[in-house]
Amino acid sequence: MRAFHIESAGAEPALCTLPDPEPGPGELRLRIGACGLNFADLLMMTGDYQDTPEAPFTLGMEVAGTVDALGPGVDGPAIGTRVAVFAGQGGLAEMGCFPAERAVPLPDAMSDIDAAAFQIAYGTSHVALSHTARLQPGETLLVLGAAGGVGLTAVEIGKVMGARVIACARGATKLAVAERAGADHLIDAETQDIREECKRLGGVDVVYDPVGGDQFEAAFRATNPEGRLLTIGFASGKMPQIKPNHLLVKNLSVMGLYWGGFLKFRPSVVTDSLATLMRWYEEGKIKPHVSHVLPLDRAAEALELLRARKSTGKVVVTPR
């Protein structure tokens, strides 16, 4: 099979041919139909992600495809079932072996491309807003990086949950994507003052931040008393410095959210969330936005789209 593979620590990933994998105990083998890319894939390439596997390994954290073999002790999903899997690695390949317990059967109406763009982005935003921040109907939600992979889903989910959504992104093109996803108000991070615009709109109750840096600091200063700030990631490359005394003044809460971490200590949070999200998808309440679909032999180009911030929503690679 072909795979986009990192052979040794520090090596550049490259498309290569590997033996077809055989599923071990507790695993299923998937003929991969699509793999969704994430900012974490870029961090894995440099060894900077908190869950970077030891080399050699194949990039690609979330996949969708068809089960074609089961390992010892595994009695389902049945061969021929279409599933999505949060794999953590191994998705940028034609085949892969993954934990059977993580396989989520797909609705017939959901394509492999939608499924590969679904779990991490929607799962992160739903768990963050519903489980962690307890977003309430009528509250004001500020989404930074609102046209990105997770940011766009936060806009959608915030609207489904009944919030007033302020979307912040760079440039008119990205803001238009966020507006189509349901944003009530738009802030151009290139030309407008985030703090002043949010204050003009009455302040914010929940901040969803995959960006960090200066944008977090501006949002922090625009948060209402008892506001909650969700730190999702640091796409800006800068981790914000939080002054604890400022938390006290307005009784603010800053909450970290790593979606994959729940699989290790409280997996029911993830599975219950995905069940809700799948239902919303079938009801037409949410729909993945995929700006680019590229074949496996252009995986490097697909990752560069993320690095250069030239994509909106998700970038998906199709091995076949």
Side-chain angles (χ1 to χ4, degrees):
M1 69 168 190
R2 295 182 306 151
F4 197 63
H5 194 67
I6 292 178
E7 186 58 36
S8 60
E12 288 292 318
L15 191 64
C16 61
T17 300
L18 301 175
D20 290 351
E22 293 295 331
E27 293 184 333
L28 55 76
R29 186 172 68 193
L30 207 62
R31 289 194 174 275
I32 297 171
C35 176
L37 299 187
N38 294 274
F39 191 76
D41 289 307
L42 298 175
L43 297 178
M44 283 188 189
M45 290 167 61
T46 58
D48 293 325
Y49 188 59
Q50 60 262 29
D51 276 346
T52 300
E54 290 189 14
F57 70 94
T58 296
L59 288 167
M61 299 179 70
E62 57 182 331
V63 298
T66 303
V67 178
D68 83 337
L70 301 175
V74 178
D75 56 9
I79 291 173
T81 303
R82 293 177 59 249
V83 300
V85 181
F86 170 66
Q89 61 171 301
L92 284 174
E94 293 177 321
M95 302 174 70
C97 294
F98 309 110
E101 64 182 8
R102 293 191 181 184
V104 179
L106 299 178
D108 290 341
M110 181 179 277
S111 68
D112 284 351
I113 289 173
D114 274 3
F118 194 84
Q119 286 192 94
I120 294 176
Y122 280 105
T124 294
S125 293
H126 184 251
V127 170
L129 296 176
S130 178
H131 173 78
T132 303
R134 309 288 183 184
L135 179 68
Q136 299 299 307
E139 288 190 312
T140 297
L141 167 66
L142 169 64
V143 180
L144 303 177
V150 291
L152 199 58
T153 63
V155 172
E156 282 187 273
I157 289 171
K159 289 303 297 180
V160 173
M161 294 179 66
R164 181 179 69 146
V165 178
I166 303 171
C168 179
R170 292 187 179 278
T173 299
K174 291 186 175 182
L175 286 172
V177 172
E179 186 174 34
R180 289 195 294 272
D184 299 290
H185 304 281
L186 307 174
I187 298 175
D188 190 335
E190 290 184 334
T191 61
Q192 294 178 286
D193 185 303
I194 295 172
R195 180 195 180 198
E196 291 303 317
E197 290 300 316
C198 288
K199 297 290 278 186
R200 183 179 62 80
L201 292 168
V204 299
D205 303 302
V206 175
V207 176
Y208 183 97
D209 178 25
V211 178
D214 294 342
Q215 290 193 28
F216 175 92
E217 294 177 13
F220 185 97
R221 297 171 69 192
T223 305
N224 292 328
E226 295 192 311
R228 290 88 77 202
L229 297 99
L230 292 155
T231 57
I232 309 299
F234 311 103
S236 68
K238 293 174 58 180
M239 294 188 185
Q241 301 301 306
I242 299 168
K243 296 180 179 179
N245 58 315
H246 290 185
L247 296 176
L248 304 183
V249 173
K250 291 195 288 186
N251 291 289
L252 302 180
S253 299
V254 179
M255 307 170 178
L257 194 287
Y258 169 41
W259 179 78
F262 283 102
L263 293 170
K264 299 177 181 178
F265 63 85
R266 197 174 170 189
S268 62
V269 171
V270 170
T271 54
D272 291 349
S273 170
L274 285 175
T276 296
L277 291 166
M278 287 292 184
R279 185 177 75 251
W280 286 356
Y281 179 91
E282 291 187 276
E283 293 171 354
K285 293 180 178 179
I286 55 177
K287 170 69 174 175
H289 174 86
V290 179
S291 64
H292 297 81
V293 180
L294 283 77
L296 183 59
D297 58 9
R298 295 173 64 190
E301 180 182 340
L303 286 161
E304 185 57 30
L305 288 168
L306 289 187
R307 190 196 314 276
R309 297 191 178 95
K310 293 182 178 179
S311 61
T312 55
K314 293 286 283 190
V315 176
V316 173
V317 171
T318 53
R320 299 181 182 278

